[in-house]
Amino acid sequence: MNSLPPIVAAYSGTFDPVTLGHSDIIHRAARMFPRLIVAVGHNVAKNPRFSLEERVALIQQVASDLPNVEVKGFSGLVVDFARDNGVNVLVRGVRTVVDVDYEKQMAVMNRDLYPQLDTVMLTPAPEYAHLSSSLVRELASLGAPVEKLVPKAVIKPLLERFGRPSN
């Protein structure tokens, strides 16, 4: 009898900052897969506001109630991270048709580079479907309230990053 390899999923992204949409996907994927790695990408081209270490720490706080989730930083190709960490399922969050088209293209390329890697796309809960890290950063920089956009652990560091007092 053939034994199946253990399922190890990874949800990768920049998470600058982690939003309630990201948190929703993390919590739902943690229920779907026995092991989930949140793979926090180091991508200087995106000009992140939080360092890789800060983003990892924030996500660790957000996922602290999930015993099957670990958070790791990485740089380079996600397929290399997947191969190095025994990942065979890549979780991707999609909000729009544009996201789906882009993620489909990436899924095909990733599978070409690493044939053992499948991609699963999840949509966030409807109340978070409009959120993106770039939108959250812009709103925070302009003084808008962020309490309904990011997890509680992120509010204070986000406001401080933009020179705003936290209550």
Side-chain angles (χ1 to χ4, degrees):
M1 178 178 211
N2 288 342
S3 64
L4 297 173
I7 295 176
V8 178
Y11 176 33
S12 64
T14 308
F15 307 106
D16 184 48
V18 61
T19 69
L20 287 172
H22 294 132
S23 177
D24 176 60
I25 298 288
I26 292 167
H27 281 80
R28 289 176 37 230
R31 289 193 308 265
M32 296 172 72
F33 301 103
R35 182 171 171 223
L36 175 67
I37 303 169
V38 180
V40 184
H42 175 70
N43 185 346
V44 292
K46 287 195 171 187
N47 192 24
R49 290 296 188 133
F50 291 92
S51 71
L52 180 63
E53 295 77 17
E54 289 169 323
R55 288 179 281 135
V56 166
L58 288 171
I59 296 170
Q60 286 171 331
Q61 291 178 55
V62 169
S64 64
D65 60 324
L66 303 168
N68 63 325
V69 173
E70 62 184 301
V71 184
K72 294 183 175 185
F74 79 99
S75 61
L77 295 175
V78 73
V79 293
D80 292 336
F81 177 88
R83 191 178 293 109
D84 293 345
N85 289 274
V87 171
N88 45 21
V89 176
L90 190 61
V91 174
R92 301 297 298 158
V94 293
R95 299 169 305 222
T96 66
V97 174
V98 173
D99 287 349
V100 172
D101 285 345
Y102 174 77
E103 292 299 341
K104 179 182 174 190
Q105 183 179 21
M106 292 305 299
V108 171
M109 181 54 65
N110 288 339
R111 188 148 170 101
D112 184 56
L113 294 171
Y114 182 38
Q116 293 79 17
L117 187 64
D118 285 307
T119 299
V120 172
M121 296 182 210
L122 297 177
T123 58
E127 61 267 30
Y128 307 130
H130 64 290
L131 292 180
S132 69
S133 293
S134 57
L135 176 63
V136 168
R137 288 191 310 271
E138 182 176 355
L139 290 170
S141 74
L142 295 171
V146 297
E147 291 76 12
K148 294 181 182 178
L149 309 176
V150 296
K152 287 184 196 243
V154 179
I155 295 170
K156 184 177 183 212
L158 178 61
L159 293 177
E160 289 173 351
R161 192 58 36 125
F162 289 98
R164 294 175 53 193
S166 57
N167 298 341

